[in-house]
Amino acid sequence: MSSTSLATAVRPAPGQDTDLLIDVQDLHVHFPTGAGPVHAVRGISLQVRRGETVAVVGESGSGKSVTSRALVGLAGPHARVEAARLHVGGQDAGRFTERDWQRVRGAEIGLVLQDALGSLDPLRTVEQEVGEALRRHGTLSRWDRRGRRAAVEELLAAAGIPDPAVRSRQYPHELSGGLRQRALIASALAGGPSLLIADEPTTALDVTVQAQILDLLAQRKRDGLGLLLVSHDLAVVAAVADRVLVVSGGEVVEEGPVADVIGAPAHPYTRTLLSAIPSAGSRGRRLSPDRAPLPERSIDVDAPVVVADGLGKSFRRRGGAIHAVRDVSLTISRGETLGLVGESGSGKSTVARLLLGLTRPDTGTVRFPGAERPGAGPQLVPQDAFGSFDPRYPVGAVVAEGLGHLDRTRRRARVVELLDQVGLPASVAERYPRQLSGGQRQRVAIARAIGPRPRLLVCDEPVSALDVSVQAQVLDLLAELQAELGTAVLFVSHDLGVVHHVSDRVLVMRHGEIVESGPVQRVFRAPAHPYTELLLDSLPPAVRPIRPPHAPVPEPGATS
C-alpha cells in the first residue's frame, strides 16, 4: 500500500462490519536471537468492536504485550509478524508500510503504556505533548495556537485533570503518577481514535487513582471507544472487561465472557492466576496453590522490636516546607506484621526511611529494645530489587553484603544457606542479577535482608511490580521466614488486598498523619475513618472485603 492511499486506509470497505475495529486471526511473532528464533506469539486470534473492552491477561513473558505492540506496528525492527488476517478498521494492516503505521497510530489507534513518565517527553510541557498529537492527527492548524491550547485544556479536563490550564504548562516530572497517566491518556485520545490499547495502565498506581483511571476508561467506552486492556491483574480485568483472553507461552489457553472466565475458569493456568489474588477470602492461607498450609506464627506482644514515638519530618521546597510526617507513633512486636497504607504523598515511605535510619527525624525518637547485636538493625526489602543491586557483582556477593562479620568460608556457607531458605539453588550465586527473573531477583533481595538475622524487616512495596503468581510465591516465602525466624515486619504498600492478606495490624496514613489504626480485620471490615472507607471502596469488586452498609463517603479532598 502506498503512503498516498492511507487517507482511505482506515475506512471500512462497503459491506464490512463497521463496528469491528480489530480483527486478528492466527497471529505469530518471531524474534531472532543468537540461539535461534524465539516464537513469542503462537496463533493468537482476537476481535475488538466499538464500545467493547477486551482484556488480554497473562504473566510476564506470556506474549500479551508483544501481541498489543504488533497490533500497532511496534513489535520491533527485527520481529517477523505473520497472520492469516490482520485488519485495522476493515483494512489489511499486514500490508502497511512504516509510514502507513505512523499515520494510523494516534489517528485510529491510541496507545497507553504503564510507564507514563517514560512515555512522555521530559523536555515538553503537557500542553506541548498533547498539542503535538492534536496537530499530527487532529484538524487544528499548527499555527492555531489559541485553538490548540483550548483543545488541550478540554482534553485534560475530560481526562479528569483538575486545573487543566495550570497543569498544561507543567512538565511530566512536576505531576503525580495519577496525573501523568491521565495526561498520557489525553494525549492518546487527542487524535480521536476509535480504539485504545492500554498496556498495564494502572499497575503502579494507588488504589484511588487506579479507580479514577478505570472510571475514565469506562466512560470513554460508553462513548463508543473500543478498548484492548493488557494486564496481569485479573481483579482489574473483572471490573472493566466484557471478554477476556488468558495467554500463556504465547498461546490463548482460555477465552470467553469475563463473567464465565472469572467465575468458572476451565483451564488450570487461569485457576492459578485467580487463586493468587490476595483478597478477604485468602487471609491465613497460601496464595500459591497445591502447597501445605502456612506455618503457625506467634506474636510476642511483650517483646517490642521497634518503638517510634512522635515522629515528625519536614522537607524544604520552593514555596515553603512540606510536612511529610506529623506526630507518628507505632510499635511492632516480635513475629508481628504491621501494614502501612496510604496514597502517594501520604508519608508512608518517609516513615519507613525514618525506621531504617536513612532519614533523621525533626522530632520524636526511634528505639529498638533488646537490639544487642551490632549489624542486626532493620533491613530493607525494596520494590525495585534490581535497582538496589550493584550490577558488577554476582548474586553471591550481593547476598553477602551484610555478612562482613564472617570469615570467607563461613560467609560462603551462609550465602548457600540463605539462597536455600528463599528457594533458590546454590548455582544462582555465580549468576548476575540481570540474568534472573523479577521473582528471582526479589528472592535475592529477601536473602540479603535476612542475612544478618535482623529483628525487623521493612518491606517497601516489595511485590507491586510482580505478576500475581510470582507475587504469591514471594508473599508465601515472607510468611514462612517470619514464622521460622520470628522477625517483625513493617509492610508498606498501596495494594490493600496484599496488606489485608499479610498484616496483623494496619495503620492508615493521610497527609503525613495516622488517621486510623487497629487489627486488620476490624479496619478492613468496619473502618472508622471516611478516608479508609474511600480507599476500600476504590478496590476492584473482586478483592473488596465484605463490609456492612455504611454512610456515603466524602469526595477526595473533602474535609474529614
Side-chain angles (χ1 to χ4, degrees):
M1 180 184 295
S2 68
S3 60
T4 56
S5 67
L6 192 68
T8 58
V10 296
R11 297 192 185 114
Q16 288 188 322
D17 186 348
T18 58
D19 285 337
L20 191 58
L21 304 174
I22 290 288
D23 186 9
V24 179
Q25 298 294 325
D26 197 25
L27 176 69
H28 294 260
V29 181
H30 302 259
F31 294 100
T33 70
V38 172
H39 200 172
V41 176
R42 302 169 178 266
I44 287 180
S45 301
L46 64 88
Q47 294 180 327
V48 184
R49 288 181 162 78
R50 295 184 190 275
E52 180 184 38
T53 297
V54 176
V56 180
V57 177
E59 298 175 283
S60 297
S62 64
K64 62 185 188 300
S65 290
V66 175
T67 298
S68 67
R69 289 177 178 274
L71 299 182
V72 289
L74 294 175
H78 303 296
R80 188 170 88 250
V81 179
E82 302 169 337
R85 183 184 303 133
L86 178 55
H87 285 189
V88 176
Q91 298 298 314
D92 185 3
R95 301 172 57 193
F96 280 6
T97 66
E98 176 55 28
R99 191 171 182 181
D100 294 337
W101 277 119
Q102 288 176 359
R103 296 190 184 183
V104 167
R105 289 194 292 266
E108 275 298 305
I109 305 176
L111 179 63
V112 178
L113 300 176
Q114 174 182 352
D115 182 12
L117 187 60
S119 301
L120 297 170
D121 190 332
L123 301 180
R124 296 200 293 188
T125 64
V126 171
E127 179 183 330
Q128 292 170 328
E129 185 84 27
V130 180
E132 175 68 11
L134 279 171
R135 187 186 68 79
R136 289 176 61 87
H137 305 296
T139 58
L140 294 175
S141 164
R142 65 181 299 179
W143 307 111
D144 184 9
R145 295 183 179 180
R146 181 176 299 178
R148 190 162 65 248
R149 175 170 293 176
V152 167
E153 292 178 8
E154 183 179 349
L155 278 166
L156 295 180
I161 294 180
D163 300 320
V166 175
R167 300 298 187 182
S168 67
R169 295 192 291 271
Q170 293 182 309
Y171 289 87
H173 71 272
E174 297 178 297
L175 303 178
S176 68
L179 288 177
R180 283 196 297 264
Q181 200 70 4
R182 288 166 180 263
L184 185 60
I185 291 174
S187 179
L189 296 176
S194 53
L195 174 71
L196 185 69
I197 296 178
D199 191 350
E200 302 281 10
T202 64
T203 298
L205 299 180
D206 295 326
V207 61
T208 52
V209 179
Q210 173 183 273
Q212 293 161 11
I213 295 296
L214 294 178
D215 285 346
L216 170 63
L217 294 177
Q219 176 59 54
R220 298 311 298 255
K221 170 188 167 183
R222 291 191 290 270
D223 294 339
L225 182 75
L227 176 63
L228 181 65
L229 176 64
V230 179
S231 181
H232 69 256
D233 192 335
L234 278 170
V236 168
V237 167
V240 299
D242 300 301
R243 293 188 296 112
V244 60
L245 287 75
V246 182
V247 180
S248 178
E251 299 178 305
V252 175
V253 298
E254 186 166 0
E255 64 179 301
V258 68
D260 294 345
V261 174
I262 302 297
H267 196 276
Y269 178 69
T270 311
R271 293 196 291 269
T272 298
L273 292 180
L274 285 168
S275 68
I277 300 175
S279 64
S282 70
R283 180 164 176 79
R285 67 165 176 82
R286 287 189 185 273
L287 291 170
S288 302
D290 304 323
R291 296 184 64 188
L294 286 170
E296 291 292 331
R297 176 164 53 89
S298 61
I299 300 173
D300 188 352
V301 295
D302 296 322
V305 170
V306 60
V307 178
D309 186 34
L311 294 180
K313 183 65 183 178
S314 298
F315 298 97
R316 295 196 176 277
R317 297 287 187 269
R318 286 185 300 174
I322 297 176
H323 298 286
V325 173
R326 303 169 183 259
D327 194 26
V328 167
S329 299
L330 61 86
T331 299
I332 311 177
S333 299
R334 187 178 188 277
E336 181 183 31
T337 298
L338 177 66
L340 185 60
V341 303
E343 298 172 286
S344 295
S346 64
K348 57 186 188 295
S349 289
T350 302
V351 169
R353 292 180 62 83
L354 291 171
L355 297 186
L356 288 164
L358 299 175
T359 299
R360 292 176 62 89
D362 297 331
T363 60
T365 59
V366 178
R367 296 184 295 110
F368 297 93
E372 303 88 2
R373 288 186 298 110
Q379 298 292 316
L380 173 67
V381 180
Q383 174 180 358
D384 180 14
F386 189 54
S388 72
F389 299 154
D390 189 326
R392 300 171 298 175
Y393 293 160
V395 167
V398 170
V399 175
E401 286 179 10
L403 305 177
H405 59 289
L406 301 178
D407 60 44
R408 180 175 298 183
T409 301
R410 293 170 61 200
R411 189 161 58 244
R412 287 178 178 173
R414 178 65 173 152
V415 167
V416 172
E417 178 187 356
L418 289 167
L419 290 175
D420 181 66
Q421 278 187 288
V422 299
L424 294 175
S427 59
V428 168
E430 306 302 322
R431 300 170 67 183
Y432 285 84
R434 66 178 181 273
Q435 298 173 307
L436 305 181
S437 68
Q440 288 174 321
R441 287 197 289 262
Q442 203 66 5
R443 288 171 181 262
V444 171
I446 294 171
R448 178 180 61 179
I450 66 174
R453 295 185 173 90
R455 303 174 78 238
L456 174 67
L457 281 181
V458 177
C459 300
D460 193 356
E461 302 281 6
V463 296
S464 62
L466 301 178
D467 295 325
V468 286
S469 63
V470 179
Q471 172 183 278
Q473 295 165 13
V474 172
L475 292 176
D476 287 350
L477 170 63
L478 283 171
E480 292 171 0
L481 292 172
Q482 191 174 23
E484 177 185 348
L485 305 174
T487 311
V489 174
L490 177 69
F491 199 97
V492 182
S493 181
H494 69 260
D495 190 327
L496 299 185
V498 169
V499 169
H500 183 259
H501 175 75
V502 303
S503 302
D504 302 296
R505 291 186 298 120
V506 64
L507 304 181
V508 182
M509 290 194 69
R510 187 187 194 194
H511 302 325
E513 299 178 316
I514 296 174
V515 298
E516 184 162 3
S517 64
V520 68
Q521 294 286 59
R522 196 276 299 163
V523 171
F524 274 62
R525 294 186 181 276
H529 196 279
Y531 178 67
T532 311
E533 292 197 46
L534 175 64
L535 292 179
L536 293 171
D537 287 342
S538 299
L539 283 168
V543 295
R544 191 179 300 163
I546 299 174
R547 298 191 285 118
H550 55 274
V553 179
E555 292 296 320
T559 302
S560 59

